[in-house]
Amino acid sequence: MSAPNKSFDPVEVTALQPEEVARARDEALAAIAAAGDLDELKRVRLEHAGDRSPLALANREIGALPPAAKADAGKRVGQARRAVSDALKERQAVLEAERDERVLVEESVDVTLSTGRAAYGARHPVTTIAERMADVFVAMGFEVAEGPEVEAEWFNFDALNFIPDHPARTMQDTFFVGSEETGVVLRTHTSPVQIRSLLSRPLPVYVVAPGRTYRTDELDATHAPVFHQLEGLAVDEGLTMADLRGGIDAFVAGMFGEGLKTRFRPSYFPFTEPSGEVDMQCFVCRGTSVERGAPPCRTCRSEGWIELGGCGMVNPRVLVACGIDPDRYSGWAFGLGIERTLMFRHDVRSFHDIVEGDVRFTLPFGTEI
Amino acid sequence: MRAPLSWLREYVELPAEVTGRELAERLIQAGLEVETVDQAGADLTGPLVVGEVLAIEELTGFKKPIRYCQVNVGQANGTGEPQNIVCGATNFAVGDHVAVILPGGVLPGGFEIGARKTYGHVSEGMICSVSELGIGEDHSGILVLPRDTPVGADATELFGLRDDVLDIAISPDRGYTLSIRGIAREAATACGVPFRDPADVELPSASGESYPASIADATACDRFVLREVRGFDTAAQTPVWMRVRLHRAGMRPVSLAVDVTNYLMLELGQPLHAFDRSKLNGPIVVRRGEPGETLETLDHVRRELHPEDILITDSSGPISMAGTMGGLATEIDEKSADMVIEAAHFDAIGTARMGRRHRLHSEAAYRFEREVDRELPLYASYRAVRMLAELGGAEVLPGVTHAQEPVTPVTVTMAADHPDRVAGITYGRATVVRRLEQVGCTVTGDDTLTATPPSWRPDLTDPNDLAEEVIRLEGYDKIPSRAPRAGAGLGLTPMQRLRRRVGRAMAGTGYVEVLTFPFTSERDADDLQLEPHESRRRALRLANPMSEDEPLLRTTLLPGMFKAAARNVGRGFGDVALFEMGPVFRPRTDAPDHAPRLRVDRGPTPEEIASVDAALPEQPMRVAAVLTGEREPSGWWGKGRVADWGDAIEAARTVAREAGVELTARADRHAPWHPGRCAALFAGETLVGHAGELHPRVTRAYGLPDRACAMEVDLDRIAGEMPDGVTGPEISTYPVATQDVALTVDAATAAADVESALRDGAGELLESIRLFDVYTGEQAGEGRKSLAYTLRFRAPDRTLTAEETTRMREAAVAAAADRTGAERRT
């Protein structure tokens, strides 16, 4: 490459002649426009905008011009080079877009192919519905209490006012551990957790106890020897059956939606007095299926009501057995069967499905319920 | 208890239009659990009439005897002419009265009767058996009626063939409702109509003793009444109306004498027993059993008696198990004309225990266990002998034996507003007193009430019992709803939150939760390949398991999970990943042989609670997983990845990670795992469980696919290692420096040891270490394996120089060489 020749007569510089600059520019623009792909454009760029291109060479001559001519020549060359550069940019963008269009189309796949590469799992609906129910109580300020499944008879029966040899005790068909003399059983209900809570927590006590329970029932569509219960217990000063009802109403609202009525029927449990059974209005038909001509409701068998569970005021004898003054404190308790609730809430037809561990049963329930 | 509405109506003045269902609704509101209302005979339509057999022609030439009869049905057929009826039964004679359904009638079960030709004759209707009438099981012959039954009368009305029957589940505190008397009383209160007490009969003035009897044990029996009848007509039949009621109530007719005792037990609630007078020897004594005594009971079983059994005895020894089952030797039979009728009040607990001990369940014992009205025996026994006289022509002897023991009457004292404070409503004293009096209590006092419950309500012992009576009769539906008023709670405990996280994490990594029964067996211990004295063989045994095949409580979650996995595989799902979270039961070696029964009249001391808990096993929370088939499925993208031992360990790490605990694996030999593919898992120095591939003998025993894998960890132990919390790390923005290093070690050297040596040697600027290749081929050398790691270094405050990084790498290699004999591969 030659350096600018300072002694050279600038007037003689052909490359800076206006028509020469214009010609170089037009040739460049024509070549750019003619470039059919990015490779060609790359060659055109080298030829017409590279260091050895006519316009670059012309630009180099400007320095040798007399000061008077520099401005004019610089302006013309600069304009020409900008035009070429802009055209290159523009053409580059067009060609890239064309290439992308073509290549990405070539790369397209069948997105309807199956993508199931990672196995997915689920939690058991008995677990998740128990959590859901417990959470409703937790939201009311209750805490979750627990107790052992292999339990002492004193906790499971005696302290709950089940008198020895009373028919109430034989009603709950009990698994005895070791022998009938050991005083150790598989708990027949979650109620011993009431006793453990009252003995270990400061008053007032507001707890909910979900858990696994056992009775010697053969497995059939609606029974199992191993099942789950959940119960809420409140012991405080001045609690009445109105509080019991309020607690159950809040539970029903949290679990099944607002605006459902509840109704109580007298019943009997040794550990509550008075005792009751509680029904809730069917959350599916909201009681309308009993009306003449209304479509039948599978959930409540068109009875309008669903049996929810048992409840009552904590028997003062239970409080005494826990060392609590029944003249000062009173309490309420409410319990239900978790599988039974699962069955009516989710239209599960058989207990077999709940206990067999078939993945086809459990998977649809996911991880929350 | 099954209660026919027509029977209740005898003692309750129910309006005629009240149906069984309506009454059931009222009773449910009052606290009786009416389960169903059967509309017996609802589909029966007449004409069903009483007829008299005028003539019988025996037809021959058929496979069985067939009779062609002429039956007089009076004007019931509109003509007064005899009906010609073909009948297949032979248990009747000319002159007998029978139930005849005429053409056009429909029998229970929708059986329509028409005039039709059969056996060569037109049969104009049918002569009915008790089963066809829906009032009994017997279909061997037709129902022969007494000859004084009016011919042409409507049999449906006459015998109460159409009736609503309420089936009521009796709760254990309401023994008095095990009778028409008790249910009628509740029905009267519930409907606000008058009640007439069936026990309210005027007793004749006493005139001497009947058969001699005494009570030797006052704790066994506090009232024992005997009356006698003579000259009972052994041919006397149970009247049809009584048979119908017994059938409706669920009892089978036996003989008039037995049916009378059963009928009165149903009506009054008082069990009665009849002895054959001629089979008794000497005075009767009520006492407990004596050593070596036996009794052959009515069911022909000779029973060894227990010293606590309550027995009726005479000079020959025991003759009856009180209120439970009579003895065979003194049983009334088809020749018994002279009878002694027993009505007594036995101890509820005593009869309950005796029934349980001998596995004897009778209607009588069922009632005694739930308390029988102590005031009934004199009245019930009198009604029994009266009925035997009226229906069986017996002569009632005037005497009555009445042995009794003094009983302290129970009174309950409570504030008059106690029911108000239980219910959260204001009833007022007047309402409280009125309701208690309706129940049968005698009430005195103003602000403080003293109630004496009636003899049929021994369950009323506490103020809350009285409160319940008031509240239920006023209506549970009146109780208002008051919003919950618990204070702020602390939310879930860390352990409760951990369990939820573990469940979600396992589900999120592809495991499906199962909840298996915790029952297991010695066979499981064998199938798991447990050593003879392994601690997991020491399991609690149930005294009364569901199945003798699974009498033990699980000490590991695995057998139940293997069975669940095999079930899925068997149903066509070979790629299974299951998990379970639940307790296992590990007996304590130092446990006492029984848990004490503490008193309940005060709170237990901490020592007392500890003495009870000491008898319980340890019940640690476990998490286990089992995997078969592909962990990552095959598909159009290529072959999937078969689950292996590493997935099982990773499942355990998933659990531990939720607790913020990092597990280290060490090679172990532990059943049921493959001895060369089993890791013991540690949190720090604490063993928390095992994971790996299962022993081939285990997969075979449980029918699992080859190479199935599993893990089981103790969540309580993992939780015990849970860090207090995470401190936010400082993040260095200086560049990372990466160094690869390949080492050869003895093939038996644990990779974990090499890695931990590298870690320790590399120093604190080591950010991470990753094993990216394991090679055991020729180039590694005989008995050697090659391990290749990427080490990443980063400093918090500067860019590391190449020299620094190299120095740290060399320090790491030196530590590995020192501790594991690792050699740098060149």
Side-chain angles (χ1 to χ4, degrees), chain B residues 41 71 132 137 202 221 232 306 317 423 440 460 503 512 575 622 676 735 789:
Chain B
V71 184
E132 283 154 355
E137 305 303 324
E202 193 169 337
C221 175
F232 176 73
H306 187 273
L460 302 180
V512 176
D575 306 327
R622 295 280 181 83
Y789 294 91

Side-chain angles (χ1 to χ4, degrees), chain A residues 222-261:
Chain A
T222 53
H223 298 85
V226 184
F227 59 103
H228 294 73
Q229 288 188 337
L230 172 137
E231 61 188 70
L233 168 75
V235 173
D236 203 342
E237 289 177 272
L239 291 179
T240 70
M241 290 178 86
D243 297 296
L244 164 65
R245 184 157 210 165
I248 291 172
D249 286 349
F251 171 76
V252 167
M255 200 63 202
F256 298 97
E258 291 184 88
L260 295 168
K261 288 186 196 135

Side-chain angles (χ1 to χ4, degrees), chain B residues 336-472:
Chain B
S336 302
D338 301 345
M339 287 179 272
V340 176
I341 303 298
E342 167 211 298
H345 186 251
F346 297 113
D347 178 53
I349 302 268
T351 44
R353 282 194 188 149
M354 181 161 66
R356 194 122 28 85
R357 202 178 291 130
H358 294 281
R359 298 187 200 290
L360 264 176
H361 306 284
S362 66
E363 289 281 336
Y366 191 74
R367 284 170 174 77
F368 278 119
E369 284 176 24
R370 284 157 181 77
E371 300 276 8
V372 170
D373 183 349
R374 187 176 175 275
E375 298 304 324
L376 273 174
L378 280 172
Y379 299 92
S381 60
Y382 183 64
R383 283 205 55 198
V385 294
R386 287 300 318 157
M387 266 187 148
L388 291 172
E390 284 158 18
L391 302 173
E395 176 200 351
V396 177
L397 297 198
V400 57
T401 302
H402 182 193
Q404 61 173 326
E405 297 292 336
V407 172
T408 333
V410 173
T411 59
V412 187
T413 303
M414 71 167 183
D417 67 349
H418 184 68
D420 299 12
R421 280 187 282 121
V422 172
I425 316 177
T426 305
Y427 296 115
R429 181 188 174 282
T431 301
V432 169
V433 170
R434 182 172 58 88
R435 288 304 190 182
L436 291 179
E437 285 175 347
Q438 269 179 341
V439 169
C441 294
T442 311
V443 186
T444 58
D446 292 322
D447 290 348
T448 301
L449 302 178
T450 300
T452 308
S455 56
W456 58 88
R457 292 300 303 271
D459 60 303
L460 302 180
T461 57
D462 293 8
N464 270 40
D465 299 333
L466 300 184
E468 181 180 71
E469 294 301 306
V470 174
I471 296 164
R472 78 176 171 96

Side-chain angles (χ1 to χ4, degrees), chain A residues 130-131 134-135 137-139 142-146 208 210, chain B residues 489-501 504:
Chain A
E131 286 178 5
D135 284 347
F137 277 96
V138 169
F142 285 56
E143 292 176 9
V144 178
E146 291 160 312
V208 59
Chain B
L490 294 177
L492 300 180
T493 64
M495 189 63 187
Q496 287 162 353
R497 290 201 303 271
L498 172 62
R499 288 209 300 267
R500 291 187 177 192
R501 284 202 305 279
R504 289 195 196 102

